Amino acid sequence: MPIARLIEYKITLPSEHAFDLLMNIGNAGYFMPITRPGAIPAPRVPSKYSEKIRRIEDISRELSRILNQYSIPPPTNPHEVKVGLFNELLEYIIEDGEDLLTRVRQYLNSIEGVRNEYVRLRSIVDVVSAVGSVIMERLRHFSIDIVPLSEGDFNEFRNAIANYGAETLPVKVQDRFYALVIYPEWARQGLLNAYKLFNTNPLEVPSNIDLGSMKSKLAELEGRLGKLEQEFQDFLMKVSDRAYAIIDLSDTVTNIVRQYMDSAIPEGRDVGDRLMQIVNSVNDTKNRIRELEIIHETLEYMKRSGISFEGLSRLRFRVFAIRGGVNEEYVKGLMYIKRDVEGMDLSILTIIEPPENLDVKSLGKEVYEISRDYLIDIKSAFELTGRELVDLRTRLKDLEREYEDFVKEFNEVSTYGVNGINKVSGDVVTIAGYVKESLSSKFDDLLASLLGKLAIDARVRKESRVVYVREIEPEKAPTLEEYPKPVDAFKKITYMYGVPKYVEISPVILTFILFPAFYGWMYPDLGHGVVLSLFGYALYRSRYNGPNAFLRSIFGGKYSMWGLIFLMAGVWSIIFTFVESGTIFGIEVLPAPFRLVHVHGTAMEVLSNSIYAMLAVSIMVGIVSLLLAFAFKAINAYRGGERDLAVGFYVPLFFFFLFLVLALMGIGFVPVIIVGEKTPLLQPLYSMFNVIKGLVWYWAYAVFALLAILIYSLFYFRAKYRGVPGFSGAQLAVEVSAEAAIPSLTNTISFMRLSIVAIMHAVFTAMTYAWAVSLGLFTPAGLAVLIVFNLLIILGEGFVAFVQSLRLHFYEMYTKFFSGAGVLFIPFTLSLRWVRLLIV
């Protein structure tokens, strides 16, 4: 079975050990975690890991910066690391990373110290050499600063320090620029503040200037600096395997944490809190609706009865709607007006000058106060509360749906489920996912080994669970297809349209058979086929790692699977050479019963008999291809659980299309017979053509009968599945018209492009050959025409044939049966590049 059978696992562990699970399954590389539904809250990262993960990120970031700065290449051999648990991995990265960084920082501090002294001394030597040592001698009550500066900032700098009585001289040595500042000693502090504005610091000038000794010292510092940097470079090369291992493992930790946040399902308290929030929102909304319904009814009665409170505008009063009767005992002694609504267990109580300590709940069984704002304009208030009720009822439906969806989604991915929330503590999570059935025994061994290792923790023994779900939900299951390499290459073309669903017939085999055959049909030339096959083979086998970036990008192995596709397309081009063209680069040297073009010297003849035959065959191939697509549609519906639709609708749709095409062929609307009878090459098929024409009215009767069945089925399924999510009666109607009737006129005829493109190709190659012959085939001009224009044909028509073959698959066939809405099975892996991780 090309689409591999999968098994779903639900693995529950304390959250800290979920990281151990992800590390193990990522290292194994055959488990695909299920993405956590968006309604379920994300789990928390255990506090024991949070600080360590942050430190690891800092270590990795600093090491990456240093390795990039010094252009240290990654190691050729992976660095072996042994750990037992995720926490040990964190400890290893931190310990080894901080040890490396300590050594690195020691080198950097030494280099930085020597570099700073070198820069300082070089600056002094630059300035002294430029202006002379006499000028640099300290004057009484005056000081001199050498300030490194950008040449563009000099004028602004000079103006900024002029207020301090300072004189500034520009000094430029090679590409280095300085400002020589002479100033009175009392202005020292002000100048320092001014220097900060330009992000620069003055250099300390020694009291006794000896230019010769300075230059000697400068040369010594330069040598020390070069030696230190070389030692540091050698050190980085020596420890590059460790450094890259730390970076790689740090990325792995990030990958594990990201996968945990994306897929871990929290059990227990967190989910209970979220569920309680939804329940509280539902209850609050229901209570508000209940309150608003009573107020709305009260306002309606007031509006109908013409009740107004304008006479009480100068008094303090409060109005209440009371369900279940007024507590007469409590209102004794109060000034009030009571109105009972006829036919309803509802009273309107107006209390005039109510006491400050009025106990509203004691007024009756169910009491709701009507806002004074509502009483100003009762009619408008009635309309307003009506609209608010509509909004609240809609919100209630949304909240109830949210609750149902949450419970459903949580129960699908959780081990304990909603009913088991209270059975576990708050930091237990479930990792759900899929494993290929053939690898399930290995995965079971991995789980047994891991859980046995973790069983030292009592919580692991108490709260851990592994649940197997063998009957997984087809709509949500990912797709894993496995084929031999030549077939597997055509997944690339198929997946350009979409990934098949888990229970869907995959069109990969169909693509493997038809795509290169269609390509060869449209591109029949032995010479071109050989070129294409050789290019495909080179693309598949070559692994060019040389200096040429263009060749490396093409032949570096990235497009090896496309090489197989081109190789097979070239083989079919060679096969169809013996059917349609019989040419090698346009030169006729081979037999071909359906030869499309013939060249006599420099004259070219288009052979109409062969063209008519190939056009008729093209349409027949199109009809068979579309019938196959409709058959796949029925099978997909049956396998997807829609058996009544498959048998009751899609099977009649298949025969409706078949008989409709036969009827239209008989009257000449689909021109298979008309075109076919114009060529003696299809004479063996004339008897079949006569049968089709003779039975044309029977085909037409069958079409009307099947159309009646389809219309009856349409109404039947529309009634049966009314309100069922995902079902659409309009979609079925479209499938009758836009996928069965119209394709008989368009999609089948569209397959004529197989022969039309082949005719174009034959004409172009024949024209090229005839032109070369007219110039002298073996003359430089003739050879140049033959080579150049055949290369253009290979590039241009090769591309056209590829696009047209894609169109015939994607538009004419796939749209009839292939949804392409599946999810690709991509197992979680640690993606280690420079580390071989051994989990012991």
Side-chain angles (χ1 to χ4, degrees):
M1 189 67 187
I3 296 185
R5 181 175 173 81
L6 304 174
I7 295 178
E8 182 180 346
Y9 285 79
K10 295 179 182 179
I11 309 157
T12 303
L13 285 167
S15 58
E16 64 179 272
H17 295 307
F19 290 86
D20 297 313
L21 173 66
L22 288 170
M23 182 177 73
N24 277 264
I25 63 179
N27 201 42
Y30 41 73
F31 179 87
M32 177 183 173
I34 296 173
T35 301
R36 184 185 64 259
I40 300 174
R44 290 189 291 265
V45 177
S47 56
K48 67 178 290 186
Y49 295 150
S50 300
E51 179 59 27
K52 292 179 181 179
I53 291 171
R54 188 192 63 77
R55 289 169 62 192
I56 284 171
E57 290 174 348
D58 293 340
I59 291 170
S60 174
R61 193 179 303 112
E62 189 169 352
L63 281 177
S64 297
R65 180 182 59 79
I66 292 168
L67 293 176
N68 289 332
Q69 180 181 345
Y70 285 87
S71 302
I72 305 299
T76 54
N77 297 319
H79 186 74
E80 187 174 291
V81 175
K82 293 182 180 180
V83 296
L85 300 173
F86 181 73
N87 192 52
E88 293 177 17
L89 177 64
L90 300 183
E91 295 288 351
Y92 171 84
I93 298 172
I94 291 172
E95 182 179 348
D96 202 37
E98 290 189 340
D99 177 62
L100 268 180
L101 281 180
T102 299
R103 299 284 304 279
V104 165
R105 286 164 184 159
Q106 288 173 351
Y107 272 107
L108 289 176
N109 290 337
S110 299
I111 292 172
E112 188 65 20
V114 174
R115 180 179 286 113
N116 289 340
E117 178 63 18
Y118 173 78
V119 170
R120 186 190 71 82
L121 194 58
R122 187 191 62 184
S123 301
I124 295 172
V125 170
D126 285 344
V127 174
V128 171
S129 300
V131 302
S133 57
V134 175
I135 296 178
M136 296 299 299
E137 291 180 359
R138 183 180 296 273
L139 303 175
R140 189 175 183 181
H141 305 305
F142 283 86
S143 295
I144 299 175
D145 286 343
I146 299 174
V147 183
L149 194 66
S150 168
E151 186 174 1
D153 293 336
F154 177 75
N155 290 330
E156 187 178 351
F157 176 80
R158 180 169 57 186
N159 295 333
I161 66 174
N163 295 331
Y164 298 97
E167 291 292 336
T168 309
L169 298 176
V171 179
K172 185 174 182 182
V173 180
Q174 297 178 355
D175 59 342
R176 301 183 292 275
F177 189 84
Y178 309 94
L180 187 63
V181 182
I182 304 172
Y183 59 92
E185 292 179 350
W186 59 264
R188 177 71 176 171
Q189 189 58 48
L191 284 174
L192 290 176
N193 294 332
Y195 295 159
K196 290 179 182 178
L197 296 176
F198 292 86
N199 197 27
T200 185
N201 292 310
L203 301 175
E204 183 182 350
V205 181
S207 56
N208 297 319
I209 298 175
D210 185 349
L211 190 59
S213 62
M214 284 185 179
K215 289 182 177 180
S216 176
K217 178 69 173 177
L218 189 63
E220 179 187 344
L221 288 172
E222 188 174 6
R224 283 179 58 194
L225 184 60
K227 183 179 179 182
L228 278 172
E229 287 184 335
Q230 186 59 51
E231 288 179 2
F232 184 48
Q233 187 94 6
D234 294 341
F235 171 76
L236 290 178
M237 290 295 295
K238 183 179 178 181
V239 299
S240 63
D241 58 336
R242 289 172 58 195
Y244 275 102
I246 290 166
I247 295 169
D248 209 6
L249 291 173
S250 175
D251 292 342
T252 295
V253 168
T254 302
N255 198 14
I256 291 172
V257 173
R258 185 183 299 113
Q259 188 62 61
Y260 173 82
M261 297 302 296
D262 288 344
S263 61
I265 311 298
E267 306 268 7
R269 185 178 63 248
D270 289 344
V271 174
D273 292 344
R274 175 59 182 153
L275 204 58
M276 188 56 64
Q277 287 177 0
I278 301 175
V279 170
N280 290 339
S281 296
V282 170
N283 292 333
D284 291 344
T285 304
K286 285 181 177 179
N287 292 336
R288 178 58 181 163
I289 289 174
R290 173 68 174 172
E291 176 185 358
L292 209 58
E293 283 176 342
I294 293 175
I295 293 175
H296 186 66
E297 291 172 359
T298 304
L299 292 172
E300 183 184 22
Y301 175 77
M302 291 178 179
K303 180 172 72 75
R304 189 173 64 247
S305 303
I307 296 175
S308 173
F309 294 89
E310 293 180 0
L312 302 176
S313 60
R314 296 179 179 274
L315 300 173
R316 283 192 312 109
F317 66 94
R318 295 171 71 177
V319 180
F320 300 93
I322 301 176
R323 180 84 72 179
V326 176
N327 185 352
E328 301 288 350
E329 292 294 326
Y330 185 78
V331 298
K332 282 182 180 180
L334 299 177
M335 186 183 302
Y336 67 90
I337 302 171
K338 182 167 79 76
R339 297 181 179 87
D340 294 324
V341 180
E342 297 177 2
M344 300 176 64
D345 185 18
L346 180 65
S347 300
I348 304 172
L349 181 67
T350 304
I351 301 178
I352 302 170
E353 298 295 337
E356 295 294 336
N357 60 347
L358 179 68
D359 184 3
V360 173
K361 292 182 179 179
S362 300
L363 293 175
K365 185 177 180 181
E366 193 175 353
V367 182
Y368 302 101
E369 184 171 3
I370 301 176
S371 171
R372 290 284 293 268
D373 294 336
Y374 287 166
L375 302 175
I376 296 173
D377 186 344
I378 293 176
K379 181 180 178 182
S380 297
F382 171 74
E383 295 173 353
L384 178 64
T385 53
R387 290 194 296 269
E388 189 176 352
L389 271 173
V390 172
D391 293 341
L392 283 172
R393 286 167 182 154
T394 302
R395 172 167 169 72
L396 179 61
K397 288 181 181 179
D398 292 341
L399 287 171
E400 289 174 339
R401 190 181 303 113
E402 181 183 353
Y403 176 82
E404 292 172 1
D405 292 345
F406 183 91
V407 172
K408 179 184 176 183
E409 290 181 347
F410 183 72
N411 286 337
E412 285 178 355
V413 294
S414 167
T415 299
Y416 285 92
V418 170
N419 296 329
I421 285 175
N422 297 324
K423 295 180 181 179
V424 291
S425 58
D427 58 347
V428 172
V429 299
T430 293
I431 305 289
Y434 303 101
V435 173
K436 183 182 169 186
E437 187 179 44
S438 60
L439 295 174
S440 61
S441 59
K442 288 185 178 181
F443 190 70
D444 291 340
D445 293 340
L446 183 150
L447 288 179
S449 173
L450 176 63
L451 293 176
K453 186 193 306 182
L454 300 177
I456 191 172
D457 186 340
R459 291 187 60 234
V460 172
R461 297 195 300 272
K462 178 183 177 183
E463 299 179 324
S464 295
R465 286 187 182 182
V466 178
V467 176
Y468 304 85
V469 185
R470 292 190 176 271
E471 294 300 325
I472 60 180
E473 189 173 347
E475 285 297 315
K476 294 185 177 180
T479 299
L480 172 62
E481 295 187 86
E482 296 177 322
Y483 302 96
K485 268 192 175 181
V487 182
D488 196 65
F490 286 85
K491 285 199 301 189
K492 283 190 170 294
I493 291 177
T494 306
Y495 288 2
M496 287 166 63
Y497 185 91
V499 178
K501 290 184 177 180
Y502 182 67
V503 295
E504 198 172 23
I505 290 180
S506 173
V508 170
I509 295 292
L510 187 67
T511 309
F512 165 71
I513 295 170
L514 293 183
F515 185 87
F518 286 172
Y519 190 98
W521 190 331
M522 292 183 283
Y523 195 58
D525 187 285
L526 190 143
H528 293 184
V530 169
V531 170
L532 190 63
S533 298
L534 291 175
F535 172 75
Y537 183 78
L539 203 60
Y540 172 63
R541 299 288 296 179
S542 297
R543 294 296 181 271
Y544 177 79
N545 296 314
N548 190 298
F550 177 73
L551 292 178
R552 192 168 58 248
S553 65
I554 297 177
F555 296 103
K558 183 178 179 181
Y559 303 107
S560 61
M561 283 301 180
W562 283 104
L564 283 176
I565 294 172
F566 290 131
L567 173 60
M568 295 187 64
V571 169
W572 277 97
S573 292
I574 293 171
I575 292 172
F576 272 94
T577 301
F578 296 91
V579 177
E580 294 180 293
S581 68
T583 61
I584 301 177
F585 298 115
I587 306 172
E588 298 174 22
V589 293
L590 300 169
F594 289 81
R595 191 186 302 278
L596 299 170
V597 176
H598 177 58
V599 177
H600 307 275
T602 59
M604 184 182 70
E605 178 187 3
V606 179
L607 304 177
S608 58
N609 287 339
S610 296
I611 289 175
Y612 287 138
M614 294 309 296
L615 288 174
V617 173
S618 299
I619 298 175
M620 286 188 282
V621 168
I623 293 170
V624 173
S625 299
L626 292 174
L627 283 171
L628 189 62
F630 279 106
F632 284 168
K633 188 176 190 69
I635 295 171
N636 281 339
Y638 189 87
R639 293 179 63 181
E642 299 175 324
R643 297 184 178 183
D644 50 356
L645 275 172
V647 175
F649 191 83
Y650 293 130
V651 171
L653 188 63
F654 171 87
F655 287 103
F656 173 74
F657 173 74
L658 173 62
F659 294 137
L660 182 61
V661 169
L662 290 173
L664 293 174
M665 283 171 57
I667 61 176
F669 206 84
V670 176
V672 176
I673 298 175
I674 293 177
V675 173
E677 288 183 342
K678 290 186 177 181
T679 172
L681 293 172
L682 295 183
Q683 190 169 3
L685 299 179
Y686 285 176
S687 58
M688 182 186 74
F689 294 160
N690 291 332
V691 169
I692 293 174
K693 287 191 293 185
L695 297 176
V696 60
W697 292 112
Y698 292 97
W699 306 135
Y701 296 149
V703 167
F704 285 113
L706 285 165
L707 183 60
I709 293 173
L710 287 170
I711 293 173
Y712 170 79
S713 299
L714 178 65
F715 285 103
Y716 170 77
F717 289 118
R718 184 168 175 264
K720 180 177 180 180
Y721 291 100
R722 184 184 299 275
V724 176
F727 179 82
S728 171
Q731 181 181 345
L732 290 181
V734 168
E735 287 174 357
V736 174
S737 57
E739 290 190 8
I742 296 176
S744 65
L745 309 177
T746 57
N747 296 131
T748 54
I749 298 174
S750 183
F751 277 82
M752 292 175 68
R753 70 186 66 238
L754 289 170
S755 295
I756 292 172
V757 176
I759 295 167
M760 291 169 52
H761 174 78
V763 169
F764 287 152
T765 53
M767 289 173 61
T768 299
Y769 172 62
W771 187 9
V773 169
S774 68
L775 297 173
L777 184 60
F778 297 106
T779 64
L783 290 174
V785 166
L786 196 65
I787 293 171
V788 170
F789 280 89
N790 269 283
L791 285 175
L792 291 175
I793 291 170
I794 289 173
L795 293 174
E797 289 195 47
F799 175 74
V800 169
F802 187 90
V803 170
Q804 295 304 326
S805 188
L806 276 182
R807 175 190 167 84
L808 291 175
H809 284 75
F810 286 4
Y811 181 72
E812 316 297 349
M813 289 190 292
Y814 286 0
T815 54
K816 307 298 179 293
F817 72 95
F818 182 35
S819 68
V823 177
L824 192 61
F825 179 86
I826 304 176
F828 171 61
T829 60
L830 300 183
S831 302
L832 292 165
R833 296 165 291 176
W834 306 302
V835 173
R836 187 160 67 93
L837 184 64
L838 302 177
I839 301 176
V840 295

